[in-house]
Amino acid sequence: MSNFPAELTGTWEIDPGHSTIGFAVKHAMVSTTRGHFATFSGTATIDAANPEASSADLEIDATSIVTGNEQRDGHLRSADFWDADNNPKITFKSTSAKLDGDDLVLVGDLTIKGVAKPVEIKWEFNGLAADPWGTQKAGFDGTATINRSDWGISWNTALETGGFLISDKVKLVLEIEANKKA
């Protein structure tokens, strides 16, 4: 049985001005490099009484990567990583949902570089609020860990001290504020 309020039932649209879709990956085996996408959209349809019937989809502009280093951003857009010229969109479309305690896990297909693979995104519900203009808002934090090589993203270089420059493991971080659609 879920603890989701009945008001959560309905269709929600991501508010990109108050949301972050990003990632974190180990660099040189000693630090974490973070990035996010500036352009994305998505919706979720939620059934508070039956959360397993909920669904979501997300579309990310692969060219909108921001890591704080333009040279790195260009490399990430290149064929070495997600080949944004030929694959301008990264997408997620849920195929099922399940409860994990108070969290909802959406299972779906993540498509990067034209390759679709199943991923589980664990969502924590942060609450509901109405903004001063009467728009109903909901907050969610989503996380997943993927292996980038599963999507054919395998560029790397060996380090003199052992190991590799970039970890295969990538943590996806989705901090979402959504607006309820009428």
Side-chain angles (χ1 to χ4, degrees), residues 12-27:
W12 298 82
E13 187 170 69
I14 291 176
D15 177 348
H18 296 101
S19 300
T20 301
I21 296 179
F23 62 88
V25 63
K26 287 290 184 193
H27 181 261

Side-chain angles (χ1 to χ4, degrees), residues 47-65:
D47 183 339
N50 182 19
E52 293 88 350
S54 300
S55 63
D57 63 86
L58 174 65
E59 183 175 279
I60 300 167
D61 177 353
T63 67
S64 72
I65 184 66

Side-chain angles (χ1 to χ4, degrees), residues 41-175:
S41 63
T43 59
T45 301
I46 301 171
D47 183 339
N50 182 19
E52 293 88 350
S54 300
S55 63
D57 63 86
L58 174 65
E59 183 175 279
I60 300 167
D61 177 353
T63 67
S64 72
I65 184 66
V66 178
T67 66
N69 180 299
E70 186 53 44
Q71 182 179 1
R72 178 174 47 224
D73 295 351
H75 193 199
L76 290 170
R77 288 184 203 101
S78 78
D80 284 344
F81 288 89
W82 47 77
D83 193 13
D85 285 342
N86 294 309
N87 301 283
K89 302 294 180 195
I90 297 170
T91 62
F92 173 81
K93 180 151 183 67
S94 67
T95 55
S96 65
K98 59 187 176 184
L99 285 174
D100 181 8
D102 289 336
D103 298 328
L104 182 66
V105 177
L106 288 178
V107 180
D109 293 323
L110 177 64
T111 302
I112 305 172
K113 203 173 181 176
V115 177
K117 295 282 183 180
V119 170
E120 291 189 1
I121 302 176
K122 187 172 190 172
W123 292 96
E124 178 183 348
F125 172 58
N126 295 328
L128 293 167
D131 70 15
W133 301 274
T135 303
Q136 187 71 25
K137 304 270 187 183
F140 308 90
D141 289 335
T143 57
T145 301
I146 64 170
N147 290 320
R148 63 190 180 92
S149 60
D150 290 346
W151 283 265
I153 303 170
S154 57
W155 184 91
N156 222 334
T157 189
L159 299 173
E160 288 181 20
T161 55
F164 290 92
L165 184 64
I166 304 169
S167 172
D168 192 40
K169 185 168 96 172
V170 179
K171 182 177 180 183
L172 306 179
V173 180
L174 302 98
E175 297 165 334

